[in-house]
Amino acid sequence: MKRMNKTKTILALALVALLLTCAVGGTMAYLVTQTNAVTNTFTPGKVTVSVSDTVTGNEKKNVQITNTGNTTAYIRVAVVANWVKDGKVVAPWNDYDRLKVISTWDVGSDGYYYYKQPVAAGASVTLLESYTAGDGPEGAHLEMTIVAQGIQSEPASVVQNAWGVTVANDGTISK
C-alpha cells in the first residue's frame, strides 16, 4: 500500500511537470509567432537658427531670428559691422549705443545679445525694429551682419556650461 501511494505521488508530480512544460512551451511558441517586432523610434534634437531682415537704403528693419530646428532653444546673436569702401573695410563700426535692441534681449559682457527666454521650434523673435546708419567715412557704406547661434534649452546645464549664462527656475537666462 505504501509503495502504491508513493508511485501515485510520483506519477502525479510527473503529470503536473509535463502539463507545466506544455503550458510554458505553448505560450512561448505562441508569443514568438504572434508578437510583432517593436521598433524604437528616436528623433535626435536639431538646433538651427536663421536671420531675416529688411534693408532699405541705410536702414535695417525688422530683424527677426527664427528657431528653424526641431527643439526649443536659447538664442544669442552678435552684431558684426564695418564701414566698407570699394570692397575693403576702411573703419570699424562702433555705434552700439544707437542700436536699439528690444528689451527681451540682454547684452552680455562678451558682446553677444542673449534672448532671455527659450524659443520654441519654428518660432521667431525680433532683435530690433530698425536701425539707421549714421555718417561714416566719406564714400563708405555700412555692412552689418547679424550672426545668430542657438543651443538646446534642456538640460539647463548645457547652456550654462557652453555659454556661461545663468538659467533661473522660470527658464529665463542672464549673463
Side-chain angles (χ1 to χ4, degrees):
M1 181 85 158
K2 241 182 182 181
R3 185 171 173 92
M4 191 168 200
N5 282 340
K6 193 175 187 183
T7 305
K8 283 183 182 181
T9 303
I10 292 174
L11 188 58
L13 287 174
L15 186 58
V16 168
L18 179 63
L19 286 173
L20 283 174
T21 303
C22 289
V24 170
T27 301
M28 292 299 293
Y30 174 78
L31 290 175
V32 168
T33 60
Q34 300 298 319
T35 304
N36 294 329
V38 175
T39 303
N40 186 7
T41 305
F42 176 75
T43 304
K46 180 175 130 184
V47 177
T48 55
V49 293
S50 67
V51 178
S52 63
D53 60 15
T54 305
V55 178
T56 308
N58 64 347
E59 182 182 31
K60 186 181 272 286
K61 297 191 294 191
N62 196 28
V63 178
Q64 299 278 315
I65 292 76
T66 303
N67 177 356
T68 56
N70 64 3
T71 189
T72 302
Y74 287 106
I75 295 175
R76 73 178 181 179
V77 299
V79 177
V80 180
N82 290 294
W83 292 100
V84 177
K85 181 178 179 182
D86 300 326
K88 295 180 183 171
V89 174
V90 294
W93 172 82
N94 56 7
D95 199 12
Y96 289 97
D97 293 339
R98 286 191 44 226
L99 191 64
K100 302 297 182 204
V101 174
I102 293 180
S103 65
T104 52
W105 295 79
D106 272 338
V107 64
S109 58
D110 56 3
Y112 282 98
Y113 293 90
Y114 292 84
Y115 193 73
K116 295 177 189 177
Q117 297 286 333
V119 179
S124 295
V125 292
T126 302
L127 175 66
L128 58 97
E129 290 179 8
S130 70
Y131 172 78
T132 302
D135 294 330
E138 185 159 338
H141 67 278
L142 182 65
E143 289 187 2
M144 179 183 288
T145 303
I146 308 297
V147 180
Q149 295 177 329
I151 190 167
Q152 69 189 41
S153 63
E154 292 293 330
S157 61
V158 171
V159 69
Q160 289 173 327
N161 293 336
W163 287 356
V165 298
T166 301
V167 179
N169 289 339
D170 65 356
T172 58
I173 64 170
S174 58
K175 181 71 175 159

